[in-house]
Amino acid sequence: MSKTMRRVGPPLLLLAPSLLLLGVFVYGLIAANFQMSFTDNHTAAQATGQAPAAAVWFDNYTALLATDAFQHSLLNLLLFTAVFLAGTMAMGFGWAWLLEKPVKGEGYFRSIYLFPMAVSFVASGVVWRWLLNSNQDEQASGLNRLFQIIGLDFLQNNWWNNVTFGIIAIAIPAIWQLSGYVMALFLAGFRGIPDELREAARMDGATELQLYRHVLFPQLSPVALSALIIIGHMSLKSFDLIMSISKPANYQTKVPAVDMYVFKSSFDYANAAAVGAILLIIVAAVIIPYLIHTHREEKR
């Protein structure tokens, strides 16, 4: 027993502060959030302890999922995630492919592509709110004004004020901001492929298209998967960019994270916690299979 303690004790003492903080401020708060979501705490009086709150278990979840407003938020989240993922992956891979072979001024181009990442979502949202202004014709500004100047008036539209597809317009600045990050991932993947593989494929008579299709692209699969998971979970939690461009009361651009903010602001803590729990479950459904896959790959 004493030998075991001498061997295990020091590592446990070293990890104890981190484990304690993680247990209290991560898993403890997650448990508290779920506990709140199982109550009928919907009023300011209940939130401040002046009125009692009773357990209703899953009633908040079933009521939320049955409302048209929350279903619209989930649909917006799906549209935003799909466009965000497709846009960042396509643009990031395209830029990485163009820079895959060292070219003159590569550092300059890399800096330009990566610069948007240095800007906060709130700051870029303020700028993009003006660029995506929905005013048209004589009152046009931003991109609508640009289309007007260059004679492409037919491209003017309502952008994020479109009730059905307004959330897709907000995906545009998100793509602009994170495509450089995906480019950096793919570029690192390209540079990590040994030159011997390329030379062996060329000696076997492979064309450039066959080289990329059968040699290089399969080597980039882990990078692509990592980029999908990172960008995907970021899109699921999007809040600050949407709030900077739109407003919480705007039906056309609301997503579950915005709903959570609105519920919290009106002292509806139970529904706010339920929305947070639903978001956590969605993110976990994306992240956990990836972690399991990574663990299995490492054991091989």
Side-chain angles (χ1 to χ4, degrees):
M1 183 67 178
S2 59
K3 291 182 179 180
T4 304
M5 286 302 299
R6 281 199 297 268
R7 189 180 72 255
V8 178
L12 283 178
L13 287 175
L14 184 64
L15 292 173
S18 297
L19 293 175
L20 180 62
L21 291 173
L22 189 68
V24 173
F25 293 105
V26 176
Y27 297 108
L29 293 180
I30 289 175
N33 182 83
F34 274 99
Q35 186 273 333
M36 178 63 70
S37 71
F38 293 143
T39 68
D40 64 349
N41 195 328
H42 301 297
T43 64
Q46 291 173 308
T48 56
Q50 297 177 10
V56 294
W57 299 107
F58 293 99
D59 288 358
N60 292 324
Y61 293 91
T62 55
L64 267 177
L65 293 171
T67 61
D68 291 337
F70 192 67
Q71 290 174 13
H72 178 74
S73 295
L74 291 174
L75 178 60
N76 274 350
L77 182 63
L78 178 63
L79 288 173
F80 179 81
T81 300
V83 175
F84 185 28
L85 275 175
T88 50
M89 294 296 289
M91 292 189 67
F93 178 81
W95 288 342
W97 180 68
L98 291 174
L99 295 175
E100 189 255 323
K101 296 179 180 177
V103 295
K104 186 177 181 180
E106 178 188 335
Y108 174 74
F109 287 113
R110 275 207 315 264
S111 299
I112 292 176
Y113 295 152
L114 287 171
F115 172 75
M117 279 194 64
V119 182
S120 71
F121 278 120
V122 174
S124 65
V126 171
V127 176
W128 279 96
R129 179 180 174 86
W130 175 79
L131 287 172
L132 299 177
N133 191 293
S134 60
N135 291 335
Q136 300 179 30
D137 301 323
E138 294 180 358
Q139 290 79 35
S141 62
L143 291 179
N144 282 346
R145 177 59 178 163
L146 175 63
F147 293 147
Q148 194 179 62
I149 291 172
I150 62 179
L152 298 175
D153 297 57
F154 66 93
L155 290 178
Q156 294 186 73
N157 62 82
N158 293 331
W159 298 110
W160 55 270
N161 277 312
N162 184 293
V163 175
T164 306
F165 301 110
I167 193 66
I168 294 178
I170 295 183
I172 296 173
I175 293 169
W176 168 80
Q177 195 148 4
L178 285 172
S179 292
Y181 175 69
V182 176
M183 177 210 70
L185 291 178
F186 276 117
L187 192 57
F190 272 122
R191 298 285 168 80
I193 299 174
D195 291 335
E196 290 79 4
L197 287 177
R198 303 170 189 258
E199 294 302 323
R202 290 191 178 101
M203 289 179 66
D204 288 339
T207 63
E208 282 298 306
L209 179 61
Q210 291 171 332
L211 173 65
Y212 277 95
R213 181 181 176 185
H214 298 293
V215 179
L216 301 186
F217 289 168
Q219 297 291 321
L220 295 175
S221 296
V223 176
L225 180 60
S226 298
L228 279 171
I229 295 299
I230 293 169
I231 300 300
H233 101 272
M234 290 180 68
S235 68
L236 292 173
K237 300 187 298 181
S238 292
F239 173 75
D240 42 3
L241 179 65
I242 297 172
M243 290 286 287
S244 300
I245 296 176
S246 183
K247 296 178 180 178
N250 285 349
Y251 177 79
Q252 59 270 26
T253 56
K254 75 190 200 74
V255 293
V258 174
D259 285 333
M260 183 168 59
Y261 171 81
V262 173
F263 284 133
K264 166 65 173 60
S265 301
S266 60
F267 295 98
D268 190 348
Y269 287 2
N271 276 331
V275 174
I278 290 171
L279 278 177
L280 176 64
I281 292 169
I282 294 174
V283 172
V286 173
I287 298 295
I288 291 176
Y290 168 72
L291 295 177
I292 294 173
H293 171 77
T294 303
H295 178 68
R296 287 176 177 173
E297 289 294 321
E298 290 176 351
K299 289 180 68 176
R300 289 181 181 177

